[in-house]
């Protein structure tokens, strides 16, 4: 039959699997919260109304980052939104414009608001 060692191994494996699921869920929620906080802290004042409007419509920030120090800060939002429509709706003006990549871009603060496809 089963020895005590076999039973302890099976029980330990079951406990480890449950703990792993709990930790992964906690990390995912924590990462989402940290991403939201990072976006709030780093969005420029020119793009803040656009980010607030997208969030009010049910959007959420999925990624915040900068690929290189010489490139702008990118804030990716899901679900996708229409940058040109949002620009017109909020009557945004210089230094914000809709770039050829179809993102809201602030050339003064080097900040972009991306509709995630």
């Amino acid at each position: 039959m089963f020895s005590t060692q076999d039973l302890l191994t099976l029980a330990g494996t079951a406990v480890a699997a449950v703990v792993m699921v709990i930790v992964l869920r906690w990390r995912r929620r924590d990462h989402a919260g940290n991403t939201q906080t990072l976006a709030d802290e780093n969005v420029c004042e020119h793009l803040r109304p656009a980010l607030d409007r997208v969030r009010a419509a049910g959007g959420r920030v999925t990624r915040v980052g900068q690929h290189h120090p010489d490139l702008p800060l990118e804030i990716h939002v899901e679900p996708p939104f229409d940058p040109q429509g949002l620009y017109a709706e909020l009557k945004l003006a210089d230094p914000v414009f809709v770039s050829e990549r179809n993102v809201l871009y602030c050339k003064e603060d080097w900040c972009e608001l991306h509709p995630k496809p």
Side-chain angles (χ1 to χ4, degrees), residues 2 11 22 36 39 46 64 80 86 110:
F2 293 110
I22 292 170
Q36 301 295 329
H46 304 108
V64 177
L86 191 60
W110 275 40

Side-chain angles (χ1 to χ4, degrees), residues 42-98:
N42 291 302
V43 68
C44 72
E45 292 306 314
H46 304 108
L47 289 177
R48 184 171 301 280
L51 181 60
D52 291 341
R53 178 62 59 94
V54 169
R55 279 191 179 153
R60 63 182 179 87
V61 176
T62 57
R63 191 173 80 185
V64 177
Q66 192 173 12
H67 291 289
H68 188 272
D70 294 335
L71 296 173
L73 175 74
E74 298 178 0
I75 301 173
H76 294 260
V77 180
E78 190 176 81
F81 62 93
D82 176 28
Q84 188 64 47
L86 191 60
Y87 182 84
E89 178 184 340
L90 296 175
K91 297 178 177 61
L92 298 173
D94 257 357
V96 175
F97 67 95
V98 179

Side-chain angles (χ1 to χ4, degrees), residues 4 7 9 18 39-40 57 61 64 66 68 73 92 95 103 112:
T4 306
L7 293 175
T9 301
V18 170
D40 287 336
V61 176
V64 177
Q66 192 173 12
H68 188 272
L73 175 74
L92 298 173
V103 299
E112 294 180 342

